[in-house]
């Protein structure tokens, strides 16, 4: 498996993955944020590629030296946890290079189900933040 920066040629495959993995409402919200983040800072979008297929993606952003995992989506299969961990680790390297001092997982209704996965990777309650009005806007870095 290869974790790398999103490339414009990944757009169609990443969009299909998001549509496949996310609920309808979450997909629509995520596509808006995805487009915004692409225009602001595409370096904070990472993809996981296996056998030439995009099997995972993470969309991050930075605001005031805080890194946010806006959305992570991974196709379900046997090493899903490894893909999640790899995407998070790759994005954290980007955050570190940019001087991010803390990482936050915004808890909207779509991310709440991922709390056990984040906890299994060592994240604690202090890393979670409830999104205002159940929404978190992607902010430019």
């Amino acid at each position: 498996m290869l974790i790398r920066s999103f490339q414009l040629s990944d757009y169609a495959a990443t969009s299909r993955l998001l549509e496949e993995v996310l609920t309808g409402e979450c997909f629509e919200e995520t596509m808006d944020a995805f487009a915004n983040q692409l225009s602001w800072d595409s370096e904070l979008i990472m993809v996981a590629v296996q056998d030439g297929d995009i099997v995972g993606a993470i969309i991050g952003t930075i605001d005031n030296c805080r890194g946010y995992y806006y959305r992570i989506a991974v196709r379900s299969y046997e090493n899903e946890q490894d893909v999640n961990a790899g995407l998070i680790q790759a994005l954290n390297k980007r955050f570190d290079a940019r001087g991010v001092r803390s990482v936050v997982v915004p808890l909207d209704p779509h991310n709440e189900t991922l709390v056990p996965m984040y906890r299994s990777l060592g994240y604690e309650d202090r890393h979670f933040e409830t999104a205002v009005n159940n929404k978190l806007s992607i902010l430019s870095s």
Side-chain angles (χ1 to χ4, degrees):
M1 175 183 57
L2 169 70
I3 306 287
R4 63 169 171 76
S5 296
F6 174 87
Q7 300 168 358
L8 191 54
S9 60
D10 298 328
Y11 186 82
T14 303
S15 297
R16 280 192 304 274
L17 170 77
L18 294 171
E19 186 172 25
E20 174 187 319
V21 172
L22 305 175
T23 65
E25 178 184 357
C26 183
F27 172 72
E28 288 183 28
E29 289 176 17
T30 300
M31 289 307 289
D32 288 342
F34 182 39
N36 289 336
Q37 192 60 37
L38 282 174
S39 70
W40 289 324
D41 189 351
S42 64
E43 289 288 312
L44 297 178
I45 301 171
M46 309 295 295
V47 294
V49 181
Q50 188 163 345
D51 299 325
D53 293 325
I54 292 180
V55 297
I58 190 167
I59 301 168
T61 195
I62 299 172
D63 182 42
N64 294 325
C65 294
R66 291 176 83 182
Y68 291 85
Y69 304 140
Y70 175 74
R71 189 77 67 223
I72 188 167
V74 174
R75 187 168 288 127
S76 293
Y77 66 108
E78 61 206 46
N79 58 336
E80 179 179 351
Q81 184 71 9
D82 293 339
V83 177
N84 284 321
L87 287 165
I88 290 168
Q89 181 181 26
L91 186 55
N92 280 341
K93 286 180 183 177
R94 294 283 163 87
F95 287 162
D96 288 344
R98 303 235 186 136
V100 167
R101 292 187 296 235
S102 64
V103 175
V104 177
V105 179
L107 292 183
D108 63 17
H110 312 297
N111 282 343
E112 286 175 352
T113 60
L114 298 174
V115 169
M117 181 271 299
Y118 284 114
R119 284 193 172 128
S120 75
L121 295 173
Y123 291 85
E124 301 170 356
D125 287 344
R126 65 186 173 86
H127 295 108
F128 302 109
E129 180 178 276
T130 301
V132 177
N133 296 325
N134 291 327
K135 293 189 179 187
L136 178 77
S137 299
I138 288 285
L139 305 171
S140 62
S141 56

